[in-house]
Amino acid sequence: MTLAVAAYLLNSSLLAKESALVFILDIFFIWFFRDPERTVEGPKDVILSPADGKIVDIRDNTACIFMNIYNVHVNRAPVSGKIVKMKHKDGGYLPAFFKDSHRNERNLICIESDYGLVRMVQIAGTVTRRIDTYFNVGDSVVRGERIGMIRFGSRVDITPPNGYTLIVNKGDRVKAAVSAIAIRNTTGQNDSGHHAGG
């Protein structure tokens, strides 16, 4: 605003261009860091997506969700429970959709729920230089609650407990705290191997 006023008073085209650039950047950052409210619905034992994005791989009963720059980057708790483990690992910044992105910087969050242990891994992407987590070991979280953020394109992996079946497939679009990722088996058998290859 100050630059715009200065550009007008001084009749400066340079200041006008700088003012326009600052305005565009402000709009971009407001849009990028948007954090819409989400309504959590459905049975409490259903595991919800922790992130907005696209399922880029399913392996070893783990769904890999790639968040591009257009997605909301706030992560949410996939299930209610207590954080029993959290481990940060330094690493590189390969594109988060690559299979060898296991070398990337990451943050593991283990949530002990009434239905078993849920593993959630926040993975840094190409331009990401910061993974934020809003809780610590020993804290309790509520399903759908904001749990952290990864900036500028990244990935979140989610692994349900034994006795659960992933109900997403490679290529599916999901939304944090809205889309169901896995459901409990009523037969007591885990048939998630059907999804293992994506």
Side-chain angles (χ1 to χ4, degrees):
M1 186 66 173
T2 304
L3 277 176
V5 173
Y8 175 77
L9 294 177
L10 299 174
N11 194 25
S12 170
S13 60
L14 178 60
L15 283 179
K17 290 177 181 178
E18 290 179 352
S19 175
L21 178 60
V22 169
F23 176 76
I24 292 170
L25 288 174
D26 285 344
I27 294 298
F28 170 76
F29 281 109
I30 290 171
W31 171 80
F32 180 83
F33 290 106
R34 66 197 186 280
D35 184 10
E37 293 296 330
R38 299 280 169 87
T39 300
V40 180
E41 299 178 345
K44 294 181 179 180
D45 60 347
V46 171
I47 295 176
L48 300 178
S49 175
D52 288 15
K54 181 180 180 180
I55 305 293
V56 292
D57 197 11
I58 295 180
R59 66 182 89 156
D60 301 325
N61 201 37
T62 296
C64 306
I65 306 165
F66 177 68
M67 305 158 56
N68 65 34
I69 197 169
Y70 305 108
N71 292 127
V72 173
H73 280 64
V74 175
N75 301 149
R76 292 175 180 262
V79 68
S80 296
K82 183 178 180 180
I83 297 178
V84 294
K85 182 179 180 179
M86 187 177 293
K87 184 178 181 181
H88 182 271
K89 177 184 175 183
D90 292 330
Y93 299 95
L94 292 169
F97 52 81
F98 279 16
K99 290 184 180 296
D100 56 355
S101 60
H102 62 275
R103 302 173 183 172
N104 284 20
E105 180 178 345
R106 63 190 51 234
N107 189 53
L108 166 69
I109 303 171
C110 294
I111 304 172
E112 186 65 55
S113 73
D114 291 339
Y115 314 103
L117 187 70
V118 178
R119 289 169 52 92
M120 172 181 164
V121 184
Q122 299 170 296
I123 304 173
T126 309
V127 297
T128 305
R129 292 296 182 271
R130 184 169 180 178
I131 299 175
D132 292 328
T133 305
Y134 305 153
F135 293 89
N136 297 301
V137 173
D139 290 341
S140 295
V141 294
V142 177
R143 190 175 68 145
E145 185 176 13
R146 297 169 178 85
I147 198 171
M149 171 183 273
I150 321 175
R151 304 172 191 276
F152 298 107
S154 42
R155 201 177 89 200
V156 177
D157 292 355
I158 178 78
T159 306
N162 292 329
Y164 270 77
T165 298
L166 292 171
I167 58 171
V168 290
N169 293 286
K170 188 174 179 179
D172 288 351
R173 298 278 180 179
V174 293
K175 291 184 70 174
V178 174
S179 303
I181 290 288
I183 58 174
R184 279 206 298 170
N185 301 322
T186 56
T187 60
Q189 296 178 347
N190 192 335
D191 60 352
S192 60
H194 172 72
H195 296 273

